[in-house]
Amino acid sequence: MKVLVIRDVPEAGLEKKIREFYESQSFRTVFQSIDYFLFFQEVRFYKPLLFVAIESDRVTGLLLALLIREGDGLLSLMSQRCVVYGGPMAEGDEPRIINALLAKLNKTVSRNALFTQFRNFREWPDHVHNIFKANGFVLRDRLNSFVLLQEKFPVEMQFSTSRRRQLKKALQSGAIVREANSQKEVDQLYTLLEDLYHQKVKKPLPDHLFFRLFFEQVVPKGAGVILLVWYKDKLIGGIVSPITKGVSISELYVCGLDRDYPSIYPSVLATWAAMDYGQGHGLQFFDFMGLGRPEVPYGVRDFKLRFGGNQMNLGRYARRNQKVLYAIAELGYNVWRTIRSKV
């Protein structure tokens, strides 16, 4: 077995084999797809690496990793990390394949990324957990929630009573939800997100090019959707949702002018809209993509849990690649967040 590291568009024959392998996997996620590899190639400060396990001229494993940084120069050095959403994928969770993918990943990114983090989308069997551990990873608690999208019942039947009441009131108010249909509308949504992240979230947000490319490249392939909330011809909220065809729709970025429109509940409408879209397109579940650490109070978690769903602690695997630089960067990040919170 050999593991290739793909950094550019693969040749047609290999790409076909990668797509066929991806489609054959029951635990597939669009974040491990060739379409998202091609998308992230165009995003500023993102560098995708696609690790492909090959045996007897067949693809037997995939791992799409992202090297992400926040800028150039010193900021790049102190912020670059490696993030893996939902991977790796291997035939039958074969230990030999998973170990080869992780070993190749470590060898490739350890000098460039302060740390590597796997954001789990599934429960891993014990033998896979042991492989992560053997490759230097530690499992840390992280909660998530999944809302089932059943065909027979409206998804809002799973909501809390108060959440259903808010949704009903919002829809009766005249607010509407529809897909984004122009770059201008995507830019408007980005402005709302930028304000939210600056004033409240206090975490890095990709620049506007990320969202423009998502609209131009991902949405036309059916691998994502951008839904917008309008009230009296004004954009008051929206959600950016990746889609794993036949499987799931996820919440990647969501926002709403809830303080300005308290009786319209734009964040509730945006979240429900993605669930409703997924249900209408035959998807199995909605993925909130994170509810924080269980031991830390988190208002966003309380908001999300009122949509129903199954709360799980899938955790995240983490590995510190450069311990000294990591400690310095972590201190600097905490100082940055403190300053931002006072601005």
Side-chain angles (χ1 to χ4, degrees):
M1 176 177 58
K2 62 180 179 180
V3 177
L4 306 178
V5 184
I6 308 298
R7 303 172 187 270
D8 206 342
V9 180
E11 55 91 16
L14 178 57
E15 180 176 338
K16 182 175 183 292
K17 292 177 182 179
I18 291 172
R19 290 185 182 277
E20 289 173 349
F21 172 80
Y22 169 82
E23 292 296 338
S24 73
Q25 298 302 295
S26 57
F27 288 106
R28 67 186 180 276
T29 168
V30 74
F31 288 97
Q32 292 293 302
S33 70
I34 191 73
D35 287 335
Y36 269 53
F37 171 76
L38 298 174
F39 159 61
F40 284 121
Q41 277 194 318
E42 304 296 324
V43 178
R44 190 183 183 201
F45 301 137
Y46 280 65
K47 182 179 180 180
L49 300 172
L50 185 61
F51 297 82
V52 185
I54 304 286
E55 294 184 82
S56 301
D57 203 36
R58 292 190 312 112
V59 173
T60 58
L62 283 180
L63 193 165
L64 174 55
L66 300 174
L67 288 173
I68 306 173
R69 56 191 173 91
E70 298 307 319
D72 296 310
L74 181 61
L75 186 58
S76 170
L77 177 66
M78 301 303 292
S79 67
Q80 184 151 275
R81 65 272 190 196
C82 178
V83 179
V84 179
Y85 291 91
M89 296 189 298
E91 282 187 344
D93 288 340
E94 169 60 43
R96 186 171 48 85
I97 300 173
I98 293 176
N99 185 68
L101 289 168
L102 293 183
K104 190 72 170 182
L105 171 70
N106 286 344
K107 183 178 180 180
T108 305
V109 308
S110 290
R111 292 185 178 182
N112 300 315
L114 297 177
F115 65 91
T116 302
Q117 183 183 82
F118 280 77
R119 301 188 178 183
N120 295 326
F121 290 0
R122 56 171 289 195
E123 289 184 296
W124 289 106
D126 289 342
H127 75 268
V128 175
H129 172 72
N130 292 334
I131 296 170
F132 271 101
K133 186 177 179 180
N135 280 276
F137 289 89
V138 176
L139 183 63
R140 297 173 177 170
D141 289 338
R142 284 296 189 280
L143 298 174
N144 197 10
S145 181
F146 305 89
V147 178
L148 295 178
L149 305 177
Q150 304 175 46
E151 294 182 5
K152 296 183 179 179
F153 306 101
V155 66
E156 56 266 28
M157 294 297 292
Q158 301 176 64
F159 296 1
S160 69
T161 302
S162 61
R163 184 66 83 230
R164 289 199 302 272
R165 184 168 58 248
Q166 291 169 352
L167 177 62
K168 182 178 179 180
K169 184 176 180 181
L171 293 173
Q172 290 178 339
S173 72
I176 62 171
V177 179
R178 62 168 174 79
E179 295 181 48
N181 57 31
S182 70
Q183 286 287 9
K184 180 179 179 181
E185 292 182 349
V186 174
D187 289 344
Q188 286 181 266
L189 176 63
Y190 182 76
T191 299
L192 297 188
L193 281 167
E194 196 172 31
D195 290 343
L196 173 68
Y197 272 69
H198 177 74
Q199 297 174 14
K200 190 173 182 179
V201 180
K202 311 295 183 183
K203 291 182 179 179
L205 176 72
D207 67 18
H208 70 282
L209 181 61
F210 178 101
F211 299 89
R212 286 191 164 203
L213 289 169
F214 190 94
F215 178 71
E216 290 176 354
Q217 298 185 14
V218 175
V219 172
K221 294 177 180 178
V225 66
I226 298 177
L227 299 166
L228 305 177
V229 180
W230 297 88
Y231 181 67
K232 294 183 177 179
D233 296 323
K234 179 178 176 60
L235 180 66
I236 63 171
I239 188 168
V240 178
S241 291
I243 293 172
T244 301
K245 294 179 183 178
V247 180
S248 66
I249 183 168
S250 304
E251 176 193 288
L252 188 58
Y253 293 101
V254 65
C255 64
L257 298 178
D258 298 314
R259 291 184 179 179
D260 296 335
Y261 298 88
S263 62
I264 308 299
Y265 308 103
S267 293
V268 171
L269 269 178
T271 305
W272 164 79
M275 296 179 185
D276 185 63
Y277 181 95
Q279 188 172 42
H281 287 76
L283 303 178
Q284 299 173 27
F285 62 88
F286 174 86
D287 182 353
F288 273 111
M289 291 192 65
L291 298 179
R293 301 199 302 268
E295 76 279 7
V296 178
Y298 189 37
V300 173
R301 176 166 64 241
D302 299 334
F303 171 83
K304 292 180 178 181
L305 288 178
R306 289 169 67 190
F307 289 93
N310 302 310
Q311 185 177 196
M312 302 177 70
N313 186 355
L314 298 178
R316 291 179 180 176
Y317 286 108
R319 182 182 191 269
R320 295 183 182 181
N321 301 319
Q322 302 177 39
K323 295 183 179 180
V324 174
L325 278 178
Y326 178 89
I328 296 172
E330 186 175 42
L331 176 62
Y333 177 71
N334 290 334
V335 170
W336 174 81
R337 287 201 69 183
T338 299
I339 295 173
R340 284 289 298 269
S341 67
K342 296 179 180 180
V343 173

Coordinates of all heavy atoms in Angstrom, one line a residue, residues 17 20 31-32 46 56 60 64 85 117 136 147 182 189 193 204 212 227 234 237 239 264-265 273 277 283 313 316:
K17 N -11.5 7.4 -9.6 CA -11.4 6.4 -8.6 C -11.7 7.0 -7.2 O -12.3 6.3 -6.3 CB -10.0 5.8 -8.6 CG -9.7 5.0 -9.8 CD -8.3 4.5 -9.8 CE -8.0 3.7 -11.1 NZ -6.6 3.2 -11.1
E20 N -15.4 7.4 -6.9 CA -16.1 6.1 -6.7 C -15.9 5.6 -5.3 O -16.9 5.0 -4.7 CB -15.6 5.1 -7.7 CG -16.0 5.4 -9.2 CD -15.3 4.5 -10.2 OE1 -14.3 3.8 -9.8 OE2 -15.7 4.5 -11.4
F31 N -17.2 17.0 3.5 CA -16.0 17.6 3.9 C -14.8 16.7 3.5 O -13.6 17.2 3.6 CB -16.0 17.9 5.4 CG -16.9 19.0 5.8 CD1 -18.2 18.7 6.3 CD2 -16.5 20.3 5.7 CE1 -19.0 19.8 6.7 CE2 -17.3 21.3 6.1 CZ -18.6 21.1 6.6
Q32 N -15.0 15.5 3.2 CA -13.9 14.6 2.7 C -14.0 14.3 1.2 O -13.4 13.4 0.7 CB -14.0 13.3 3.5 CG -13.6 13.4 5.0 CD -12.2 13.8 5.2 OE1 -11.3 13.1 4.7 NE2 -11.9 14.9 5.8
Y46 N -6.3 29.0 3.0 CA -6.6 27.6 3.2 C -5.7 26.8 2.2 O -5.6 27.2 1.0 CB -8.0 27.3 2.9 CG -9.0 27.6 4.0 CD1 -9.2 28.9 4.4 CD2 -9.8 26.6 4.6 CE1 -10.1 29.2 5.4 CE2 -10.7 26.9 5.6 CZ -10.8 28.2 6.0 OH -11.7 28.4 7.0
S56 N -3.2 -2.1 -5.0 CA -3.5 -2.9 -6.3 C -4.3 -2.0 -7.2 O -5.3 -2.4 -7.8 CB -4.4 -4.1 -6.0 OG -3.6 -5.0 -5.1
T60 N -8.4 2.8 -1.4 CA -8.9 2.1 -0.3 C -9.0 3.0 0.9 O -9.6 2.6 2.0 CB -8.0 0.9 0.1 OG1 -6.7 1.4 0.4 CG2 -8.0 -0.1 -1.0
L64 N -9.0 14.1 3.8 CA -8.8 15.5 3.4 C -8.5 16.4 4.6 O -9.3 16.5 5.5 CB -10.1 16.0 2.7 CG -10.1 17.5 2.3 CD1 -8.9 17.9 1.4 CD2 -11.4 17.8 1.6
Y85 N -12.2 17.6 9.0 CA -13.6 17.4 9.2 C -14.1 16.0 8.8 O -14.2 15.8 7.6 CB -14.4 18.5 8.5 CG -14.2 19.9 9.0 CD1 -13.3 20.7 8.4 CD2 -15.0 20.5 10.0 CE1 -13.1 22.0 8.8 CE2 -14.9 21.8 10.4 CZ -13.9 22.5 9.8 OH -13.7 23.8 10.2
Q117 N -6.2 18.7 14.4 CA -7.4 18.5 15.1 C -8.4 17.7 14.1 O -8.6 18.2 13.0 CB -8.1 19.8 15.5 CG -9.4 19.6 16.3 CD -10.0 21.0 16.7 OE1 -10.7 21.6 15.9 NE2 -9.7 21.4 17.9
G136 N -0.2 9.7 18.4 CA 0.0 10.9 19.2 C -1.2 11.8 19.5 O -1.1 12.9 19.9
V147 N -30.4 16.3 14.3 CA -31.8 16.3 14.2 C -32.3 15.4 13.1 O -31.9 15.7 11.9 CB -32.4 17.7 14.1 CG1 -33.9 17.7 14.0 CG2 -32.0 18.6 15.2
S182 N -27.7 35.6 -5.9 CA -26.7 36.5 -6.5 C -25.5 36.7 -5.5 O -25.6 36.5 -4.3 CB -27.3 37.9 -6.8 OG -27.6 38.6 -5.6
L189 N -25.0 38.9 3.3 CA -25.0 37.9 4.4 C -23.6 38.0 5.1 O -23.5 37.9 6.3 CB -25.2 36.5 3.9 CG -25.1 35.4 4.9 CD1 -26.2 35.6 6.0 CD2 -25.3 34.0 4.3
L193 N -22.6 38.4 9.1 CA -21.7 37.4 9.8 C -20.5 38.1 10.4 O -20.1 37.9 11.5 CB -21.2 36.3 8.8 CG -22.2 35.2 8.5 CD1 -21.7 34.4 7.3 CD2 -22.4 34.3 9.8
P204 N -12.1 33.7 14.7 CA -11.8 34.0 13.3 C -12.9 33.6 12.3 O -13.6 32.6 12.5 CB -10.5 33.2 13.0 CG -9.9 32.9 14.3 CD -11.1 32.8 15.3
R212 N -18.2 33.7 -1.3 CA -18.4 33.8 -2.7 C -18.1 32.5 -3.5 O -18.9 32.1 -4.4 CB -17.5 35.0 -3.3 CG -18.0 36.3 -2.9 CD -17.3 37.4 -3.7 NE -17.9 38.7 -3.6 CZ -17.8 39.7 -4.5 NH1 -17.0 39.5 -5.6 NH2 -18.4 40.8 -4.4
L227 N -29.1 29.8 2.5 CA -30.5 30.3 2.7 C -30.6 31.6 3.4 O -29.8 31.8 4.4 CB -31.3 29.2 3.5 CG -31.3 27.8 2.8 CD1 -31.8 26.7 3.8 CD2 -32.3 27.9 1.6
K234 N -35.7 43.4 3.6 CA -34.4 43.6 4.2 C -33.8 42.2 4.7 O -34.6 41.4 5.2 CB -34.5 44.5 5.4 CG -33.2 44.7 6.2 CD -33.4 45.7 7.4 CE -32.1 45.8 8.2 NZ -31.0 46.3 7.4
G237 N -31.1 37.7 8.2 CA -30.4 36.5 8.7 C -30.1 35.5 7.6 O -30.5 35.7 6.4
I239 N -28.1 31.3 6.6 CA -27.3 30.1 7.0 C -26.6 29.6 5.8 O -27.1 29.6 4.7 CB -28.2 29.0 7.6 CG1 -27.4 27.9 8.2 CG2 -29.2 28.5 6.6 CD1 -28.2 26.9 9.1
I264 N -39.3 38.5 15.2 CA -39.2 37.7 13.9 C -38.4 36.5 14.1 O -38.5 35.5 13.3 CB -38.7 38.6 12.8 CG1 -39.4 40.0 12.8 CG2 -38.7 38.0 11.5 CD1 -40.9 39.8 12.4
Y265 N -37.5 36.5 15.1 CA -36.6 35.4 15.4 C -35.8 34.9 14.2 O -35.9 33.7 13.7 CB -37.4 34.2 15.9 CG -38.3 34.5 17.1 CD1 -39.7 34.7 16.9 CD2 -37.8 34.7 18.4 CE1 -40.5 35.1 18.0 CE2 -38.6 35.0 19.4 CZ -40.0 35.2 19.2 OH -40.8 35.6 20.3
A273 N -34.9 26.7 8.4 CA -34.9 26.7 7.0 C -34.0 25.6 6.4 O -34.3 24.9 5.5 CB -34.5 28.1 6.4
Y277 N -35.2 22.5 4.4 CA -34.6 22.2 3.0 C -34.1 20.8 3.0 O -34.3 20.1 2.0 CB -33.5 23.2 2.8 CG -32.8 23.1 1.5 CD1 -33.2 23.9 0.4 CD2 -31.8 22.1 1.3 CE1 -32.6 23.7 -0.8 CE2 -31.2 22.0 0.0 CZ -31.5 22.8 -1.0 OH -30.9 22.7 -2.2
L283 N -32.9 14.2 2.7 CA -31.7 14.0 3.6 C -32.1 13.4 4.9 O -33.2 13.5 5.3 CB -30.9 15.3 3.8 CG -30.5 16.0 2.5 CD1 -29.8 17.3 2.8 CD2 -29.6 15.1 1.7
N313 N -21.6 13.1 22.5 CA -20.2 13.6 22.8 C -19.3 12.8 21.9 O -18.7 11.7 22.3 CB -19.9 13.4 24.3 CG -18.5 14.0 24.6 OD1 -17.8 14.5 23.8 ND2 -18.2 14.0 25.9
R316 N -13.2 15.4 19.9 CA -12.2 15.8 18.9 C -10.9 15.2 19.2 O -10.4 15.3 20.4 CB -12.1 17.3 18.8 CG -13.3 18.0 18.3 CD -13.1 19.5 18.2 NE -14.3 20.2 17.7 CZ -14.4 21.5 17.7 NH1 -13.4 22.3 18.1 NH2 -15.5 22.1 17.2

